[in-house]
Amino acid sequence: MTGEADSVANTADTLTIPGLKRPVARIALGTWAIGGWMWGGPDDRQAIATIHEALDVGIDLIDTAPVYGFGHSEEVVGEALSGGRRDRVAIATKVGLDWHDDHKPFRNTSAARINKEIEDSLRRLRTDHIDLYQVHWPDTAVPMEETARALEKLVTQGKVLALGVSNFSIPQIEEFRKFAPLSAIQPPYNLFEREIERDILPYAIRNRLAVLAYGPLCRGLLSGRMTPETKFGSDDLRGSDPKFQPPRFAQYLAAVDALRDFARERYGKSLLALAIRWVLDQGPTIALWGARKPEQIAGVRDALGWSLTEQDRKDIDAILARTVRDPVGPEFMAPPGR
């Protein structure tokens, strides 16, 4: 594909997130790895080039968070968008994770923490407003009313355009919505981690909430680049993810091999394109494409301009049932409360 066909915004469906100034493309850039923490350290030069490449292919939503590198990811995003690029994208960041001096995060959604974090994020991102501000994890130590009303105040002040929540249950979402409007939810969602299909995804469809699906490549597993010999460093979250440890790792790699063959034989596509297309075909979803090198953006275009059939989805489910006999979810990522 060449010319306009190379643009995400021109080839992929767009999605309207209530409160944002314009619809956004359904593939967004996720920046957890860019922050470096739990991903083997940062590389700012590569990160900025990655963000610029994402903009060049038409990605117009960037998702970040203060805890991604303890402010570093937001700083890199801010630097990359300086010089006139800020108006080209919507920025989604998060609030409600605090950390000690030893960089161990914990949940804190108090009004005081929110009021501090918004100013820190605005400064690091070099902007006067956040397009989508999301509660990173629910905090049972703080009344939901306090959290939601503090966030709604930021909307009335013009510092935030729209609100979202991440990793919330249905009861927690309902409680939040008693006190503030909600535009989006952000859960983990990919071919291997599908818990939201039981309740979160149907709820989002019924209530017209955008779903920002994080981890659509399951922390690189669905990139197709891993082998049984792949090792992870001490500062890599995959070292503590049960999917990447025996005996499960072999099961997931068997699924990856079968899915790679399926994508190639049925569509002439890569496994990576299949994994993203599958997420996009499930509902009002935006796939958060995590990347930290410019070349990792190239595959975005391959996920666009086609769709899976109902039979495809059934065949994919059969592959997973045959290969992944001992599945596990993303629970290991949950930070502790206070």
Side-chain angles (χ1 to χ4, degrees), residues 29-51 72 76 235-238 289-297:
L29 180 65
T31 64
W32 184 4
I34 279 175
W37 175 65
M38 299 189 77
W39 289 91
D43 184 332
D44 293 356
R45 183 184 60 82
Q46 288 270 53
I48 291 171
T50 300
I51 293 169
H72 193 67
V76 172
D235 186 26
D236 192 313
L237 81 163
R238 290 167 292 192
W289 185 290
R292 57 188 297 170
K293 298 178 181 179
E295 56 267 29
Q296 294 171 336
I297 299 294

Side-chain angles (χ1 to χ4, degrees), residues 58-79:
I59 287 176
D60 56 4
L61 173 65
I62 296 177
D63 181 81
T64 186
V67 78
Y68 298 167
F70 305 100
H72 193 67
S73 177
E74 287 188 329
E75 289 173 346
V76 172
V77 170
E79 182 176 352

Side-chain angles (χ1 to χ4, degrees), residues 107 137 167 188 192-195 198 214 219 240-243 248 252 327-336:
R107 308 181 198 200
W137 285 85
N167 303 298
F192 294 143
E193 296 170 336
R194 299 171 57 174
E195 290 83 353
R198 293 195 298 265
Y214 76 79
R219 295 166 290 286
S240 59
D241 184 340
K243 288 183 188 62
R248 289 188 177 97
Y252 282 102
V328 62
E331 301 86 0
F332 79 100
M333 291 190 292

Side-chain angles (χ1 to χ4, degrees), residues 84-133:
R85 295 183 176 90
R86 169 65 177 99
D87 291 341
R88 296 172 54 185
V89 298
I91 294 176
T93 192
K94 305 179 187 74
V95 67
L97 281 186
D98 204 342
W99 55 83
H100 301 293
D101 291 340
D102 58 3
H103 284 174
K104 291 184 178 179
F106 60 94
R107 308 181 198 200
N108 182 356
T109 65
S110 66
R113 178 63 181 172
I114 290 170
N115 292 332
K116 179 182 185 305
E117 280 200 82
I118 185 65
E119 300 303 329
D120 290 342
S121 289
L122 291 172
R123 171 179 49 79
R124 288 189 290 250
L125 290 163
R126 307 186 191 185
T127 187
D128 62 357
H129 72 278
I130 304 299
D131 297 273
L132 178 64
Y133 206 36

Side-chain angles (χ1 to χ4, degrees), residues 225-232 238 244 249 253:
R225 299 187 183 98
M226 295 182 184
T227 71
E229 288 72 42
T230 300
K231 304 297 181 184
F232 307 101
R238 290 167 292 192
F244 297 86
F249 193 32
L253 289 179

Side-chain angles (χ1 to χ4, degrees), residues 190-192 194 197 222 255 258-260 262-263 266-267 271 273-275 277-279 281-282 306-324:
N190 55 65
L191 277 163
F192 294 143
R194 299 171 57 174
E197 293 176 359
L222 285 162
L259 290 168
R260 182 192 292 110
F262 174 93
R266 197 160 298 190
Y267 286 99
L271 169 64
L274 174 71
R277 187 71 252 170
W278 182 89
V279 169
D281 284 346
Q282 302 308 307
W306 58 289
S307 292
L308 296 165
T309 67
E310 183 62 31
Q311 186 60 50
D312 290 334
R313 290 192 285 272
K314 290 179 181 178
D315 293 343
I316 288 170
D317 288 347
I319 288 172
L320 298 179
R322 183 176 72 249
T323 54
V324 184

